[in-house]
Amino acid sequence: MLIPPANGARAPVIVIDPGHDLRANPATEPIGPGSVTRKVKDGGGTRGVVSGLTEAQLNLRVALRLLTLLEEAGIRVVMTRTKTAGTSIGNIARARIANDAGAALFLRIHAEGSTNRSVRGTHTLYPALRCDWTDDIYGESKRAARIVQSELVRALRFPDRGLQERSDFTGFNWADVPVILVELGFMTNEVEDRLLSTATYQRRAALGLCRGALRFLARSPVACG
Ligand SMILES: [Zn+2]
């Protein structure tokens, strides 16, 4: 029997999914394998009330910074997109990229919007437990959500809105790997939009995500710089 050397293991893969794209995708897709319930592939995301930045642009800026930090820390990264230039591919396609990569973590980056402009804060979503869909990834996803949320709040210092389980997210229900979706802050809140549109806060967000991801992988977050 061959015993592989301890250092022979390949570096883990993290799939970074910057939410949305230039254009929404009104086509529908089943919310889980075999489901008759269908949802729009991509409603398009929110927009900054003062910055005018689209959520798709903000998500990508943070994602590209995170890509650099993780690669410097020795993690292999696969991106679901690297430009904001086309019609959103939808959430089954995003989940398939993570599944095909055998991701140790499928990290989805979003920002929130609300009709109430005073609502603010950071929260992290993970899949609700559902037999045959998420039972195999529920525990690890929840563990990742807890760790990443705490690092993200520590980095951004926005109010901590905690964790939320979701049973209706197509990108969760199709995932076969641990998955979380971070909502960095509210782009409909003047304060958070202003801050998130700056390079300083985009760097902070990426640093918090990097530290959380490395801690989830039982690696030292010091590697994030
Ligand atoms: Zn979004």
Side-chain angles (χ1 to χ4, degrees), residues 58-119:
L58 173 64
N59 297 339
L60 183 63
R61 286 187 192 176
V62 173
L64 290 173
R65 287 182 183 275
L66 177 60
L67 162 68
T68 304
L69 293 178
L70 287 173
E71 284 188 340
E72 284 172 3
I75 305 293
R76 290 184 295 148
V77 176
V78 172
M79 304 282 292
T80 60
R81 67 178 175 98
T82 54
K83 292 177 295 207
T84 303
T87 301
S88 178
I89 57 174
N91 293 304
I92 295 178
R94 291 173 196 260
R96 286 207 170 120
I97 292 170
N99 295 344
D100 291 348
L105 180 63
F106 177 26
L107 178 47
R108 314 182 65 197
I109 301 175
H110 283 251
E112 272 277 34
S114 171
T115 51
N116 179 349
R117 291 193 174 193
S118 67
V119 176

Side-chain angles (χ1 to χ4, degrees), residues 178-224:
V179 55
I180 60 171
L181 187 153
V182 297
E183 297 280 8
L184 301 172
F186 281 75
M187 298 183 81
T188 44
N189 176 267
E190 211 174 301
V191 174
E192 291 188 355
D193 175 40
R194 216 183 282 282
L195 294 174
L196 285 171
S197 70
T198 65
T200 303
Y201 272 75
Q202 289 161 13
R203 199 180 308 120
R204 283 192 193 182
L207 186 62
L209 293 172
C210 181
R211 292 178 59 90
L214 288 200
R215 278 185 52 204
F216 171 68
L217 298 177
R219 293 183 169 223
S220 170
V222 174
C224 297

